[in-house]
Amino acid sequence: MASYPLRPEVLAFAPYTPGLSVEEIRQRFGLATVVKMASNENPLGVSPLARQAIHRAAPLVFRYAQAGNPRLVQAIARRHGLAPEHIVPGNGSDEIIDLLIRACPSPGRHCVVVSRSSFGLYSIFSRLCGVAVREVPRLPDFSFDWQGLRRAAEEGAALVFLTTPDNPSGHCPPAAEVAAFARSLPETCLLVIDEAYMDFADDQAAFSLLPRLAEFPRTVFLRTFSKSFGLAGLRLGYGILPLPLADALRRIHPPFSVNTLAEEAGIAALEDDGFLRETLATVREGRAFLARRMEELGCRVFPSQANFILFQPPPSQAARDLFAALLARGLIIRPLESGYGLPDFLRVSVGTPAENALFLALLQEILRP
Ligand SMILES: *Cc1c(COP(=O)(O)O)cnc(C)c1O
């Protein structure tokens, strides 16, 4: 390694542990079918309108997409009732997180503040840029420690990341709490509210500050097509930013990172109200049903406004063993040891009614043999 030009930040990275694929598990255990409820993907798959749009656009992929994706940006802006200048689309919202971290903090001078056990990319991208990350512990119920976050922000933070609804806990603070927190932050820092799962919340008006964007000029919102719109594999997300910041991000944005198929599928998905409505109904009903039954089986279930549920198995059953037992029966959920540092917890994504029923049946078989 010594002879290659690699920055010390890069050498300090541990190898990525990828999730298990359906095919791997099928072969390892000799199973005919394997169900994945691990990555918070859309249980209904892809919107039919988005699929048609992908077919229609296939002959055009020899061309570059139009730089800046103006038609997509218009459609997103219309969805939120905002001027298109506020919207910056990206190759997944991951790309917007990356751009913000490269654009805002100066390494050595600023830090980035996150809650402990948050979505890993905030700290991965920060560390890669040589920007210090301050992790603030959560309260035992996984709610956010507002005072602790504010104090950490006062020590030179350029960015504070907040995930609402939170991944992996599903916790979602009321909009009034987030508003008070936003107002308490020093003028020198920016609050990034990652709303990847906000569509799944029971009542967005009660939880999202996005409709009040104009009141919060130091706040950025992140949204994605990967979850409620079912386009995880196409990579499409966006930031909603104050105008000077949106301008700055557009200047450093690689011009073609949102590809032609993602752009066309995104526009079509935004028009597919029926698919979104059905997705949200499936997730909200499945979430309530799973939570009730998992509690009846002795699990500790955390309230969720997202399309997944954080839980702990009964004390007699180690989380690791329950994960392995489900895996051997062909059901993949998400252990939270790697990435989130929560070895005693598991996360299950809400599936179709049939997938939810299968998960509950296997859970019962394992916990109450
Ligand atoms: C899934 C997820 C995203 C979405 O990432 P994409 O790059 O848009 O697929 C963003 N933030 C959180 C917390 C997530 O869980």
Side-chain angles (χ1 to χ4, degrees):
M1 282 303 229
S3 62
Y4 295 103
L6 279 172
R7 300 203 333 264
E9 290 91 349
V10 176
L11 291 170
F13 270 67
Y16 179 70
T17 24
L20 299 157
S21 79
V22 166
E23 194 45 46
E24 249 176 288
I25 300 308
R26 196 161 21 219
Q27 285 182 13
R28 188 192 301 177
F29 297 103
L31 297 160
T33 55
V34 169
V35 168
K36 187 177 170 212
M37 298 169 79
S39 300
N40 307 337
E41 293 145 344
N42 192 312
L44 303 184
V46 188
S47 124
L49 291 189
R51 274 170 79 145
Q52 287 164 20
I54 292 165
H55 278 288
R56 273 200 309 275
L60 298 174
V61 297
F62 73 103
R63 294 212 187 275
Y64 285 108
Q66 195 176 353
N69 310 93
R71 285 193 306 123
L72 173 67
V73 167
Q74 286 283 355
I76 293 169
R78 219 174 302 122
R79 175 182 189 222
H80 295 294
L82 288 168
E85 290 75 21
H86 285 287
I87 312 292
V88 178
N91 188 266
S93 45
D94 292 358
E95 184 179 31
I96 309 300
I97 297 168
D98 183 32
L99 289 174
L100 283 168
I101 289 167
R102 287 193 284 150
C104 298
S106 293
R109 190 152 82 87
H110 294 125
C111 67
V112 162
V113 171
V114 301
S115 287
R116 185 162 295 158
S117 303
S118 286
F119 186 55
L121 283 185
Y122 314 140
S123 45
I124 289 174
F125 287 142
S126 298
R127 282 163 45 218
L128 183 56
C129 289
V131 172
V133 178
R134 272 220 181 95
E135 279 192 0
V136 178
R138 296 151 179 273
L139 305 183
D141 65 354
F142 281 89
S143 61
F144 299 112
D145 176 4
W146 300 124
Q147 279 212 22
L149 288 166
R150 180 175 50 76
R151 272 197 296 270
E154 280 164 356
E155 290 170 39
L159 300 172
V160 177
F161 280 94
L162 195 65
T163 322
T164 64
D166 179 53
N167 178 10
S169 71
H171 172 71
C172 196
E177 263 183 41
V178 181
F181 175 65
R183 289 204 188 87
S184 78
L185 288 173
E187 292 263 298
T188 45
C189 94
L190 198 67
L191 175 61
V192 184
I193 305 182
D194 186 341
E195 296 193 338
Y197 300 98
M198 187 55 85
D199 283 338
F200 301 112
D202 287 321
D203 176 8
Q204 285 204 50
F207 292 113
S208 178
L209 275 199
L210 180 53
R212 294 162 62 188
L213 177 75
E215 284 174 58
F216 298 94
R218 313 198 57 81
T219 299
V220 169
F221 294 86
L222 303 177
R223 293 276 182 128
T224 180
F225 283 82
S226 295
K227 314 286 162 49
S228 50
F229 289 104
L231 299 177
L234 274 184
R235 315 303 304 126
L236 182 60
Y238 54 98
I240 302 163
L241 307 99
L243 297 181
L245 264 173
D247 284 339
L249 254 55
R250 275 190 284 271
R251 270 178 268 147
I252 61 169
H253 197 295
F256 309 114
S257 68
V258 174
N259 70 73
T260 307
L261 298 184
E263 173 165 34
E264 295 301 333
I267 292 168
L270 286 171
E271 286 165 4
D272 200 340
D273 294 329
F275 180 78
L276 181 63
R277 211 175 319 114
E278 211 181 319
T279 294
L280 299 186
T282 303
V283 166
R284 289 175 187 148
E285 283 163 30
R287 182 172 70 199
F289 175 69
L290 280 174
R292 198 169 56 243
R293 291 299 175 85
M294 288 162 72
E295 271 179 355
E296 284 166 11
L297 289 169
C299 296
R300 180 177 177 210
V301 173
F302 291 79
S304 173
Q305 291 291 330
N307 65 340
F308 53 80
I309 291 176
L310 177 78
F311 71 102
Q312 282 185 294
S316 58
Q317 179 81 46
R320 193 181 282 116
D321 297 340
L322 176 57
F323 168 72
L326 287 167
L327 201 61
R329 289 164 174 79
L331 201 138
I332 312 174
I333 64 170
R334 179 68 158 92
L336 297 173
E337 181 158 14
S338 91
Y340 295 93
L342 298 169
D344 301 328
F345 295 81
L346 297 166
R347 191 189 70 195
V348 60
S349 306
V350 178
T352 60
E355 288 169 339
N356 297 338
L358 175 69
F359 168 70
L360 290 167
L362 295 178
L363 197 61
Q364 173 153 14
E365 181 184 310
I366 296 162
L367 295 178
R368 307 252 172 96

